[in-house]
Amino acid sequence: MRALILVGGYGTRLRPLTLSRPKPLVEFANKPILLHQIEALVDAGVKQVILAVSYRAEQMELELKQKVEKLGIELIFSHETEPLGTAGPLALAKDILTQSTEPFFVLNSDVICDFPFKELEQFHRNHGKEGTIIVTKVEEPSKYGVVLYDDNGLIDKFIEKPQEFISNKINAGIYILNPSVLSRIELKPTSIEKEVFPKMCQENELYAFDLSGFWMDIGQPRDFLTGMCLYLNSVRNRNPALLYNNPCVVGNVLIHPSAKVGTGCRIGPNVTIGPDVIVEDGVCIKRCTILKGALIKSHSWLDSCIIGWRCIVGRWVRLEGTTVLGEDVIVQDEIYINGGQVLPHKSIAVSVPEPQIIM
């Protein structure tokens, strides 16, 4: 089994974090986003993963090769010289994908869920058609393309961003396809959702597989934090021993063993604290991700924030409203930031009461 992961984007929605690291390498629950996907693929028996890359590919190769060697799979980088959309990268990797007649997985790199690759493969083989896409239920289907299908899963049609309620099932950005699909795709910028799937649908060659459990596109800060809450809840159900257990903790909290938390703190619910982070005494943190090497000084209060690598948050600071600090930001003592997106290497000496980008 093989898989292709689409990692070609610039990650603009997750700035300022992606000004320092390619989005697939940004840590989600203390592990690069991409590694969550690769480990799940390995569990399902995948032996070869192709990464369709364009932006900052060298950094990804350097960091991922070391991690992936331990998993015992082959990692192949397929380089785009121009953006090829969501289908073009499959045409670019055609020579690799057609070396076998076995179906292959395709994933968007922003997606986090309880990846059901084994069940998806079994369902796909059972119906015997050309492709299967995972569908998931969402609260606001008008933000997405809706999928209509029958009781067996055979897809009838797609409706892009419907303004009236038709269905709440959307394309989850995870597929399994037979190599014959590649004959439908030319080597040019192409959308698999708008140009390839509708034609397969007309020929009754495309099925939907219902995802049970959580799903989130974590490509922007607000959704990144929501995805973290859903993921931590899933960890609670599957492997609660991974969560941090301490009198200072409320709800689901993940803390790296190398992190240090002071006395009199209140951590949680829904917090991830990365390697080498120091949280001083009397700090309150909820619904936040704190990335490697950050320092949170005493008596600060953080709610719904992402704190970038090696940031320093001063004493008696209050951060809230989906505030994101890029790498190496210093927030001086007694500052208030509400919904600020702070670019890397800045020092903040005045409060920011209204959401804004701080350059």
Side-chain angles (χ1 to χ4, degrees):
M1 290 291 289
R2 288 146 307 143
L4 182 140
I5 307 178
L6 300 163
V7 290
Y10 291 105
T12 48
R13 295 182 303 154
L14 203 54
R15 285 178 180 167
L17 300 173
T18 48
L19 295 170
S20 299
R21 287 170 80 71
K23 182 171 57 179
L25 296 183
V26 172
E27 294 91 344
F28 175 86
N30 289 347
K31 192 185 295 178
I33 294 170
L34 201 55
L35 211 53
H36 286 275
Q37 299 182 329
I38 290 173
E39 286 179 355
L41 288 164
V42 170
D43 282 346
V46 168
K47 299 292 183 205
Q48 192 180 64
V49 175
I50 303 153
L51 297 184
V53 293
S54 60
Y55 174 63
R56 291 164 78 169
E58 302 79 16
Q59 193 177 350
M60 273 194 263
E61 287 195 39
L62 207 64
E63 290 203 30
L64 285 169
K65 283 232 160 119
Q66 301 164 341
K67 291 183 168 77
V68 166
E69 272 173 19
K70 295 174 189 167
L71 296 172
I73 61 161
E74 184 184 6
L75 199 59
I76 297 170
F77 289 82
S78 176
H79 294 263
E80 297 176 24
T81 51
E82 60 165 336
L84 289 171
T86 49
L90 277 71
L92 188 64
K94 185 174 181 176
D95 289 350
I96 305 163
L97 293 170
T98 51
Q99 283 173 7
S100 157
T101 56
E102 291 294 303
F104 57 88
F105 297 108
V106 179
L107 292 79
N108 290 340
S109 65
D110 292 349
V111 171
I112 194 81
C113 65
D114 287 328
F115 298 103
F117 292 122
K118 286 178 185 170
E119 299 89 340
L120 175 63
E121 182 195 350
Q122 193 58 54
F123 176 79
H124 178 76
R125 291 185 188 277
N126 286 348
H127 68 64
K129 296 294 184 176
E130 206 167 36
T132 308
I133 72 174
I134 292 185
V135 296
T136 186
K137 192 163 32 174
V138 291
E139 297 286 321
E140 284 185 68
S142 60
K143 284 166 52 179
Y144 305 93
V146 166
V147 186
L148 299 180
Y149 53 98
D150 70 15
D151 292 344
N152 297 318
L154 181 64
I155 295 176
D156 178 38
K157 60 182 168 182
F158 298 90
I159 298 168
E160 191 61 32
K161 297 185 178 176
Q163 295 313 299
E164 294 176 10
F165 183 84
I166 298 163
S167 165
N168 57 3
K169 297 292 181 72
I170 66 154
N171 175 354
I174 303 171
Y175 323 121
I176 183 167
L177 306 169
N178 293 345
S180 57
V181 165
L182 297 166
S183 64
R184 300 174 180 271
I185 306 168
E186 292 179 49
L187 184 50
K188 63 177 187 180
T190 314
S191 163
I192 198 165
E193 300 87 353
K194 292 175 184 171
E195 297 173 65
V196 180
F197 287 163
K199 286 178 183 169
M200 292 171 68
C201 194
Q202 285 166 9
E203 297 169 24
N204 293 336
E205 286 289 342
L206 193 59
Y207 274 71
F209 174 88
D210 272 288
L211 179 69
S212 57
F214 82 99
W215 174 90
M216 201 69 209
D217 173 339
I218 54 174
Q220 53 194 15
R222 186 183 301 276
D223 295 338
F224 186 98
L225 290 171
T226 301
M228 177 196 67
C229 299
L230 295 168
Y231 175 82
L232 290 176
N233 193 52
S234 171
V235 171
R236 165 75 64 196
N237 294 329
R238 286 182 296 112
N239 195 354
L242 293 175
L243 297 173
Y244 193 69
N245 200 356
N246 186 285
C248 75
V249 161
V250 181
N252 300 330
V253 172
L254 201 60
I255 299 183
H256 192 274
S258 63
K260 293 182 173 64
V261 177
T263 59
C265 291
R266 183 183 184 276
I267 311 294
N270 298 312
V271 171
T272 302
I273 294 178
D276 308 321
V277 169
I278 297 172
V279 178
E280 291 185 353
D281 299 348
V283 169
C284 177
I285 305 175
K286 53 185 173 179
R287 203 172 183 272
C288 291
T289 286
I290 317 287
L291 295 171
K292 182 176 180 174
L295 166 61
I296 314 297
K297 292 191 176 179
S298 57
H299 305 292
S300 284
W301 190 95
L302 284 68
D303 183 4
S304 297
C305 303
I306 304 175
I307 307 301
W309 309 273
R310 301 195 314 282
C311 286
I312 299 174
V313 175
R315 294 174 183 84
W316 297 98
V317 164
R318 183 177 177 116
L319 306 178
E320 62 185 356
T322 319
T323 286
V324 185
L325 306 185
E327 181 183 17
D328 182 37
V329 166
I330 298 171
V331 180
Q332 305 287 357
D333 294 351
E334 299 178 29
I335 293 293
Y336 170 61
I337 302 179
N338 172 30
Q341 310 241 324
V342 186
L343 269 63
H345 316 299
K346 297 287 166 197
S347 181
I348 306 297
V350 292
S351 290
V352 183
E354 298 295 327
Q356 59 180 279
I357 296 169
I358 300 153
M359 302 177 74

